[in-house]
């Protein structure tokens, strides 16, 4: 029987079974119907929905899914609603960072890192230890204690994500209310993600905040311009010269060897965003003369 390859020999690949994967179902226009606040799905399934908010328009599809905590959700897709805000005559440049989630060309709109993840880190470490102690043998189902620790960990993760979203949305709202156009660093988290806990938390905060800003800008009909991050810490916002060498990351001050400008590094980067996006002539303070058109500089 040496040729037999079935059974659970060592080295056999293990697949994530359907039972282990989180369930998710999609229904398009003809697959669901809403009636008296209840959701009717194809196949005669009727669900009572606890609405988190009213639907702003007729939904075109719905996704029904279960999260890691075992809660079921129905997520509806509705056409985006535009609610234009009055013009302000102001533009803003946004640079993302670790200590300050957002440094902007407007001091009133800088966003310090909220450290939601930092506060949760000690608890997360505790749940990790609880899980490690109760870790099931390979192929065995997890014990009750293991599953409980896992659930607590997932719950905390979710709480932190929700806090980040909330902070990001509030900030984005004030940015959108006070500015007609945003020049936003097109930050890609992968550059920082593989380092410390603090960096990971900063990455997650930036991701959530950037998403909120783009969403809020679109909703209120603002002009959003994403700027490629290359060289934004090296260029001078005032004279457009590029530093001859890369600035050490620890240096918080930008000094231009060409025109002599000295300013906080992140503030310079935020101004560079505006220049790159064509929203201001080099050296302006972020305000446009009244009536000046919002157009790309040549
Ligand atoms: Zn300069």
């Amino acid at each position: 029987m040496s040729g037999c390859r079935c059974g659970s020999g060592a080295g056999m690949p293990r697949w994530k079974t359907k039972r282990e994967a989180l369930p998710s179902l999609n229904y398009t226009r003809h697959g669901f119907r809403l009636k008296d606040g209840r959701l009717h799905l194809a196949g005669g399934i009727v669900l009572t929905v606890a609405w988190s908010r009213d639907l702003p328009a007729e939904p075109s599809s719905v996704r029904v899914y279960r999260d890691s905590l075992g809660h079921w959700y129905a997520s509806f897709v509705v056409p985006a609603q535009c609610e234009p805000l009055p013009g302000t005559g102001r533009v803003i440049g946004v640079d993302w960072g670790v200590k300050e989630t957002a440094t902007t060309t407007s001091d009133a709109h800088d966003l310090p890192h909220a450290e939601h993840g930092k506060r949760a880190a000690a608890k997360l470490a505790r749940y990790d230890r609880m899980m490690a102690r109760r870790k099931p043998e390979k192929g065995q189902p997890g014990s009750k204690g293991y599953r409980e620790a896992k659930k607590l960990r997932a719950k905390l993760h979710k709480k932190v994500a929700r806090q980040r979203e909330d902070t990001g949305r509030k900030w984005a709202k004030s940015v959108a209310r006070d500015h007609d156009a945003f020049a936003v660093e097109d930050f890609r988290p992968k550059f920082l993600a593989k380092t410390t806990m603090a960096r990971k938390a900063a990455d997650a905060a930036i991701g959530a905040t950037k998403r909120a800003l783009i969403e809020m800008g679109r909703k209120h009909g603002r002009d959003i311009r994403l700027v490629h991050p290359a060289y934004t810490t090296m260029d001078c916002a005032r004279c457009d010269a590029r530093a001859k060498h890369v600035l050490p990351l620890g240096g918080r001050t930008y000094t231009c060897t060409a025109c002599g400008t000295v300013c906080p590094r992140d503030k310079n980067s935020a101004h560079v965003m505006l220049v790159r996006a064509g929203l201001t002539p080099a050296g302006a303070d972020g305000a446009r003369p009244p009536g000046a058109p919002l157009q790309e500089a040549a």
Side-chain angles (χ1 to χ4, degrees):
M1 291 289 283
S2 61
C4 180
R5 298 188 65 113
C6 56
S8 56
M12 292 285 283
R14 285 192 68 244
W15 303 104
K16 194 166 197 176
T17 64
K18 236 184 180 147
R19 192 171 49 81
E20 286 172 292
L22 293 173
S24 165
L25 302 156
N26 290 293
Y27 297 88
T28 50
R29 194 51 278 186
H30 297 291
F32 75 99
R33 178 161 67 89
L34 284 165
K35 205 181 160 196
D36 305 325
R38 306 231 293 169
L39 175 60
H40 298 249
L41 298 171
I45 306 158
V46 182
L47 302 169
T48 305
V49 183
W51 297 96
S52 57
R53 57 190 159 128
D54 288 335
L55 287 175
E58 194 70 14
S60 59
S61 70
V62 62
R63 184 166 77 95
V64 179
Y65 62 96
R66 197 180 74 196
D67 71 1
S68 53
L69 300 175
H71 300 147
W72 285 89
Y73 293 90
S75 159
F76 294 90
V77 176
V78 289
Q81 300 287 295
C82 191
E83 303 164 24
L85 283 168
T88 62
R90 293 192 63 83
V91 297
I92 190 169
V94 180
D95 177 66
W96 307 114
V98 175
K99 282 211 177 101
E100 298 245 314
T101 297
T103 302
T104 74
T105 48
S106 154
D107 288 342
H109 294 85
D110 289 342
L111 178 68
H113 182 43
E115 308 202 327
H116 296 307
K118 196 175 177 183
R119 260 173 248 145
K123 266 190 178 170
L124 276 179
R126 190 159 68 88
Y127 296 144
D128 281 343
R129 284 196 301 276
M130 281 166 71
M131 282 173 70
R133 266 203 308 276
R134 296 164 170 80
K135 196 175 161 56
E137 291 289 311
K138 212 173 178 181
Q140 297 296 305
S143 67
K144 195 165 169 241
Y146 178 81
R147 275 177 292 149
E148 248 157 42
K150 197 171 162 184
K151 198 161 188 169
L152 285 170
R153 196 183 194 286
K155 209 168 175 173
L156 185 59
H157 252 294
K158 192 146 198 183
K159 186 182 169 195
V160 171
R162 212 176 280 134
Q163 285 174 324
R164 276 185 188 130
E165 266 168 32
D166 197 49
T167 306
R169 222 174 271 140
K170 279 185 189 134
W171 175 80
K173 183 107 205 182
S174 82
V175 171
R177 196 187 50 223
D178 299 341
H179 303 89
D180 300 337
F182 330 145
V184 183
E185 180 190 3
D186 196 6
F187 175 85
R188 307 277 163 173
K190 65 181 175 193
F191 292 125
L192 295 176
K194 52 201 171 202
T195 50
T196 60
M197 275 295 278
R199 285 261 161 118
K200 276 182 193 159
D203 260 13
I206 292 167
T209 311
K210 184 183 159 203
R211 261 195 312 281
L213 182 60
I214 291 171
E215 201 176 286
M216 201 64 79
R218 283 202 182 125
K219 181 179 172 190
H220 295 300
R222 297 313 203 189
D223 178 356
I224 312 156
R225 299 182 189 187
L226 295 175
V227 176
H228 194 280
Y231 303 115
T232 47
T233 55
M234 289 160 71
D235 285 4
C236 175
R238 196 162 144 215
C239 73
D240 215 20
R242 182 157 298 167
K244 290 254 160 48
H245 51 92
V246 178
L247 299 169
L249 257 180
R252 309 303 303 167
T253 307
Y254 180 90
T255 309
C256 178
T257 48
C259 74
T261 284
V262 179
C263 74
R265 197 194 68 197
D266 296 344
K267 283 282 171 196
N268 179 68
S269 299
H271 279 282
V272 170
M273 299 302 158
L274 277 184
V275 177
R276 291 272 186 88
L279 289 176
T280 183
D285 65 353
R288 284 181 299 123
L294 269 181
Q295 268 156 18
E296 292 268 350

